[in-house]
Amino acid sequence: MKHRFLSQAILLAVVAVFTACSQKESKVSSAVEPPHLEKRGDVTQLIVKGKPWLVLGCELGNSTSSSRRYMQDVWPKLKASGVNTVLAVVSWEQTEPVEGQYDFQVVDDLIADARTNGMKLALLWFGSWKNGITSYTPKWVKRDTKRFPLAQTPAGKPLPILSTLGKETCEADGRAFAAMMRHLKEVDSQEQTVVMIQMENEVGLHGHPRDYSPEAEKAFKGQVPVVLTEWLTAHKERLLPETRRAWEQSGCKTEGTWEEVFGANDRAAEIFMAWHYATYMGRITAAGKKEYALPTFVNAWIVQPEDTRPGNYPSGGPQAQNHDIWRAAAPDIDILSPDIYLNDFPEILRLYSRSGNPVFIPESRSGQNGAANAAYAIGALGAIGYSPFGFERNCDNEEANGTFCQFYHKAGCIADTILAAQAEGRIGAAWLKGSEPTRVKDTIALGDVRIVCELISSGMRNGGAPQLTGGTYAPDAIGYVIAIRQEEGYLFLGSNVRVTFLPASGKGYIGLAKVTEGDFDEKGNWQEGRWLNGDEIQLRYDLLYAVDEGFSGQGLNFGKPEPAFLKAELFKYE
């Protein structure tokens, strides 16, 4: 009897050990890699739970997300608009009202409501600066300017801007941010509702090219940090032209004061501020990533046409001309993003995609202009995503945002197709605007075909016959098209644009073998509509002139602001 009990005890012990090991293995196997950025082909994509995620985003107004009650009416409107990712503010003042005592209820509410509505979140950490100004810090920081010093003018007057040289300020901001990231890991690392973090907002010094506080004066007259000069030396052949010009003024010195190394001018002051803003924010970012390593980005208040010097725009921010300095000082910050409200969106975006900087636009326009911006960023530059600012205020305004929401819905249905095409280099896009004379036409090169895109127009061409290309362009017209090369032909998503084709080799002609309209359901399945031919694809009747120009006269007509899908199979003839 004793032996039987002993055998049972041994068996139970073995079962207990096996169960404990199984549970441990289950926990390990259930661990999910956090959202992260990954290079796929020539683009960088956001990976969530092992799959690429296309951000069809919106950024809420600065104060919108501070109240769950206020947000109750916002969530349904965003969901109906086709938004899949919400950029929402979490402020230092709300999460640490008393020093050392954290309250993350606003974070938990945002996560819960985003999950209920089937959306992801990018949280905007508003700590030391927002639009370069200090306004989202706790009261205990605002009231203690001795411990948390402010930037100063040359006359010694304090600005309402925390100095980048405040060591205790950086440490306090970093502790609060790290506490939030630790909390996010505890409550969201499995579900992964929060996929990105923005560090502060549009940082930089207003009014003057640099800070004149006592600590800043001492640092500016001191030596340029060896870390920076070593980085510049190591990357000398790949520096941006703006960095190279500033450094070459001194013959690329590796020792000296800021003016000795970069020149006695405003540019040296701007580089000085860029180094200190990036160093400050790099430390905060590193503290947060130590707790939970989510992708992080910063956003730039970009240089405006009327700006004549740093300080007219926030000096030292992550503007395009400062990217090398930011990379040297803050390697833990993953993306240096632009907030774009100026007209020439493609050119600005080109500046912010240099040196392999991943493309993400956290703030821009909505409306038809915004749809064109989003289409171009995603299709032409492989953007992680796009986000209009303050979208909740009029997202349900059909006149203002009808075509934008339609674009989001359609892009959302083919997000997997877009992401695969980005990674494989099978996608392109055109951005067209009647008010920009150089932007009424554009060409996409995909495979052995040149896709010629032209803004909708009216008028007559050679021969006097009515034509659907050439003529007069409406100054307020905005058009776009995304082109994706597929196994059989091409998929297009377009608005206010006509598309024709040329062989990349310059030999022969491209005809349309088959054109179909249609749509995709929510699962991404193609629902075929009409087969188009005849009047629907004959864009030109002046065939002798068209042939001389290399065209067949046929093409695709996206003649309305409302976006539409077309599929086209092509053939070549000589």
Side-chain angles (χ1 to χ4, degrees):
M1 182 73 75
K2 196 179 284 186
H3 290 297
R4 192 179 77 185
F5 287 142
L6 183 60
S7 298
Q8 288 176 338
I10 292 172
L11 179 62
L12 289 172
V14 169
V15 170
V17 171
F18 179 79
T19 301
C21 290
S22 297
Q23 289 175 343
K24 185 176 181 180
E25 288 176 5
S26 175
K27 286 181 180 178
V28 171
S29 63
S30 65
V32 182
E33 190 176 12
H36 61 280
L37 300 182
E38 189 175 300
K39 190 80 171 177
R40 296 195 168 189
D42 292 331
V43 301
T44 299
Q45 295 185 328
L46 173 62
I47 310 299
V48 182
K49 290 191 172 182
K51 293 181 59 179
W53 180 261
L54 181 65
V55 175
L56 301 173
C58 75
E59 181 175 331
L60 302 175
N62 301 154
S63 303
T64 300
S65 60
S66 65
S67 167
R68 190 179 197 183
R69 183 178 178 184
Y70 187 90
M71 283 290 295
Q72 284 178 348
D73 295 331
V74 171
W75 288 108
K77 293 195 295 184
L78 298 182
K79 187 173 183 178
S81 300
V83 168
N84 68 12
T85 308
V86 176
L87 281 66
V89 171
V90 174
S91 68
W92 185 6
E93 65 176 345
Q94 195 166 7
T95 55
E96 194 183 7
V98 177
E99 186 171 8
Q101 298 180 22
Y102 300 109
D103 180 358
F104 295 115
Q105 189 62 51
V106 65
V107 175
D108 294 339
D109 291 344
L110 285 167
I111 290 173
D113 293 338
R115 288 175 182 173
T116 298
N117 288 277
M119 297 185 195
K120 300 295 185 185
L121 287 168
L123 297 183
L124 281 49
W125 175 249
F126 279 16
S128 296
W129 302 286
K130 190 271 170 186
N131 289 20
I133 308 297
T134 297
S135 55
Y136 282 85
T137 51
K139 287 184 286 187
W140 52 271
V141 173
K142 291 184 174 87
R143 290 169 173 165
D144 193 348
T145 56
K146 190 169 185 179
R147 184 181 169 198
F148 307 112
L150 300 174
Q152 294 182 15
T153 69
K157 294 182 179 180
L159 293 163
I161 302 169
L162 284 167
S163 173
T164 58
L165 278 296
K167 183 180 177 183
E168 284 201 57
T169 319
C170 181
E171 290 173 351
D173 193 336
R175 283 193 299 271
F177 179 65
M180 184 187 76
M181 298 303 288
R182 185 163 55 249
H183 180 76
L184 282 179
K185 184 176 182 180
E186 292 170 357
V187 302
D188 192 50
S189 58
Q190 292 297 308
E191 189 72 18
Q192 296 190 6
T193 304
V194 180
V195 296
M196 298 176 78
I197 302 290
Q198 178 181 294
M199 303 303 300
E200 315 288 348
N201 188 82
E202 293 186 349
V203 302
L205 191 74
H206 288 273
H208 293 278
R210 69 174 179 89
D211 179 7
Y212 287 87
S213 65
E215 284 298 313
E217 279 285 270
K218 180 181 177 182
F220 188 70
K221 292 174 182 177
Q223 295 288 298
V224 173
V226 174
V227 176
L228 175 55
T229 55
E230 286 182 346
W231 191 95
L232 294 175
T233 301
H235 296 82
K236 190 172 183 179
E237 300 306 314
R238 301 188 300 277
L239 293 177
L240 296 172
E242 298 93 329
T243 311
R244 180 178 291 277
R245 282 195 298 270
W247 194 25
E248 285 179 344
Q249 291 187 42
S250 69
C252 298
K253 283 184 179 179
T254 56
E255 292 182 356
T257 67
W258 292 88
E259 288 189 336
E260 288 170 344
V261 174
F262 297 110
N265 50 44
D266 288 348
R267 181 68 179 132
E270 180 179 31
I271 291 173
F272 169 78
M273 292 308 302
W275 174 260
H276 284 285
Y277 272 110
T279 299
Y280 184 113
M281 289 173 60
R283 288 171 180 160
I284 295 172
T285 305
K289 282 195 169 184
K290 188 175 180 181
E291 301 293 340
Y292 187 34
L294 288 180
T296 59
F297 62 95
V298 292
N299 61 326
W301 174 323
I302 66 177
V303 181
Q304 305 296 299
E306 65 272 17
D307 293 339
T308 59
R309 66 184 302 210
N312 296 152
Y313 56 89
S315 180
Q319 289 88 13
Q321 70 272 17
N322 297 329
H323 280 191
D324 283 334
I325 312 304
W326 275 76
R327 290 190 185 97
D332 285 301
I333 293 173
D334 300 298
I335 309 174
L336 308 172
S337 295
D339 292 346
I340 307 178
Y341 298 97
L342 297 179
N343 286 335
D344 199 348
F345 183 87
E347 175 58 21
I348 296 166
L349 207 56
R350 184 192 66 78
L351 291 174
Y352 282 81
S353 62
R354 295 178 298 175
S355 301
N357 185 40
V359 179
F360 179 64
I361 303 91
E363 280 191 42
S364 194
R365 302 178 187 274
S366 55
Q368 176 71 0
N369 202 154
N373 290 352
Y376 183 82
I378 292 165
L381 291 174
I384 289 166
Y386 180 87
S387 171
F389 174 71
F391 189 55
E392 78 280 8
R393 297 166 186 166
N394 65 350
C395 61
D396 54 351
N397 183 326
E398 179 65 27
E399 184 177 352
N401 279 310
T403 59
F404 182 88
C405 296
Q406 289 169 21
F407 171 79
Y408 260 17
H409 279 290
K410 290 186 181 297
C413 290
I414 60 166
D416 290 344
T417 300
I418 289 172
L419 290 161
Q422 283 183 342
E424 295 164 13
R426 298 184 288 104
I427 189 171
W431 182 95
L432 306 168
K433 199 167 187 180
S435 60
E436 303 289 323
T438 61
R439 296 289 185 182
V440 295
K441 292 183 181 180
D442 199 1
T443 300
I444 303 167
L446 277 183
D448 58 356
V449 175
R450 290 174 59 214
I451 301 168
V452 181
C453 308
E454 183 179 356
L455 191 65
I456 56 169
S457 61
S458 61
M460 311 291 276
R461 287 184 68 100
N462 297 308
Q467 309 293 335
L468 292 179
T469 66
T472 303
Y473 303 98
D476 59 345
I478 298 170
Y480 60 87
V481 67
I482 294 176
I484 299 174
R485 182 165 51 84
Q486 299 187 304
E487 189 172 344
E488 291 188 3
Y490 293 79
L491 170 66
F492 296 88
L493 174 57
S495 163
N496 277 352
V497 63
R498 273 97 189 211
V499 176
T500 50
F501 304 92
L502 293 172
S505 65
K507 297 179 180 179
Y509 303 89
I510 300 292
L512 300 180
K514 179 184 177 182
V515 177
T516 54
E517 64 182 9
D519 214 337
F520 290 86
D521 62 23
E522 292 183 356
K523 295 182 179 179
N525 299 312
W526 174 246
Q527 308 295 313
E528 189 171 86
R530 294 183 301 166
W531 290 37
L532 304 181
N533 209 323
D535 293 343
E536 277 69 43
I537 64 169
Q538 195 66 44
L539 302 188
R540 295 181 63 174
Y541 287 91
D542 57 339
L543 293 184
L544 295 181
Y545 294 98
V547 168
D548 285 344
E549 295 169 19
F551 295 98
S552 69
Q554 294 181 333
L556 309 179
N557 181 19
F558 298 93
K560 298 186 295 185
E562 293 75 19
F565 288 113
L566 290 177
K567 282 191 173 186
E569 295 179 30
L570 312 179
F571 71 97
K572 184 178 177 182
Y573 63 94
E574 295 185 8

